[in-house]
Amino acid sequence: MPIATEIRPVPGTLIDSAAGLVAVPVVRGGEAPTVLTAGAGVEPAELDARLPASAADLLAHYDLTGKPGEIAQFPADLGAGLVRVVLLGVGEAAPADLRTAGAALARAAKGHSTAATTVALLESVSRGGADALAAFAEGALLASYRFSLASGTKGPAPLEDLSLVGADSAEAVSAVGRGEALARATALARDLINTPSAEKDPAWLAARAGVVAANSGLHAEVWDEKRLERDGFGAILAVGAGSDRPPRLVRLDYRPDDPAAHIVLVGKGITFDTGGLSLKPNDNMKLMKTDMSGAAVVLGTMSALAALGSRVAVTGLLPVAENAFSGSAQRPGDVITAYDGRTIEVLNTDAEGRLVMADALGYAVAELAPDALVDVATLTGAAKVALGTGTGALFSGDEALAAALSAAGQESGEPVWRMPLTEEYRELLDSRVADLANIGNGGYGRPGAAEAALFLREFTGGLPWAHLDIAGPGRSTSDEGVLSKGGTGFSTRLLLRWLSGSEAAAGSGGGAGHPHRRAKRS
């Protein structure tokens, strides 16, 4: 469902606005917070006269410190009739501060059709802080997101129109457009994640990818079950064998002129995960419409590359299957053959995401000649146990790539923590009857997240590679800040910031013709 809120940079002053809610920034700094009066359209003393008390007295009354996202609101007549005035904490107006402030304003403005603010006139923004203004727009739009299949409206409606007073310069308009592109890409990912699995089967997701590709200037290619079998994608087929809704593989290509590098993104696309014959308990299974979050993140990322002017060629691979149980489902103890020719002993059918991604990674290594690989998945409960719901797990053996992704996560407000690829744990994946087992044998205290990462690494051909396990932050249980209950689309904005900046080429860890590619085994 598209975000309903529109953000418009406009000229003029705050008191001239026809908005029903106006937000005046409160800056934290020095000995006391200060109210930004620039852009109000009146002198500070006259503004004080129109408020219920002076700005200084209101700050004291509401115990405002200027903390990002802090809110106090009251009615006042600024000259054009009674409006709702919001004192909005913006911290030091850094990008992270303004993202939080934008989200807080959007939540405070729910139920109002129009709002206006002068955040674009903050000193750090007006001096060229395009990233800060983009972050404000991003936060406001993300907090306005809602997904509902109810027949009627529930709760206050999101804000329809947010005017950024004084943000009508070309630079400001560009910054707002950038924030909007980041937010709408994330909203697309959230929509896909939140769609019920009764509708969201592999064919549906592949069709949605085709629509997004057509609207975003991408080339799309889809493997159905017959083509998957013909081309040797044995792991994807094995995972989808228990469902009467067959699997798919989707390839999306973004190709700018004279690309600086070629990156492949792989997103886990399990449209529903029962666990297969290794059946999940109900409390876990009822969340599993979100188990295709990795594919949704990759599709959302691909949708905005052109809008953000990425100079990096990007291929997105979405291995999509439904992990069901039936007489045709794969069994614990089965041995399957992956795309690259290696055999895998399936010891647990609920460790299926790594299987479909192994096929996609093997295809990327054999056929696409990438400079780097990044995969995204709600892969292991162990990652959530280790890092909670606020931080994603990052595994990588490439220092430059890991540093670039970590920096992009900090910039986007989607933090990741680098986890170790402990080499001693690799032996846990040895199988007595196949090249690999899909889970470890229980040693070293069952390091599930590391085992999964080490398993995926086997299919990366020695290329620079990073694995993002977003099982913790991929879902939210509440509406708070930029998050809404349900799928979060976590890492969409991280990947877009990385791919639209210079770090994607510099941090890819290699160039075309990387020497460590693995040819597909016959």
Side-chain angles (χ1 to χ4, degrees), residues 93 95 98 122-135 175:
L98 286 186
L122 289 160
E123 185 179 1
S124 64
V125 177
S126 60
R127 285 202 312 261
D131 289 344
L133 192 56

Side-chain angles (χ1 to χ4, degrees), residues 29-95:
E31 296 182 358
T34 58
V35 173
L36 177 73
T37 57
V42 294
E43 294 298 319
E46 187 177 350
L47 180 62
D48 281 349
R50 299 185 184 200
L51 298 175
S54 71
D57 286 344
L58 289 169
L59 292 177
H61 176 77
Y62 288 108
D63 293 324
L64 298 180
T65 65
K67 176 183 175 182
E70 196 174 48
I71 290 280
Q73 50 185 315
F74 44 81
D77 186 347
L78 299 183
L82 201 62
V83 296
R84 172 74 48 178
V85 176
V86 171
L87 297 179
L88 175 66
V90 296
E92 298 171 1

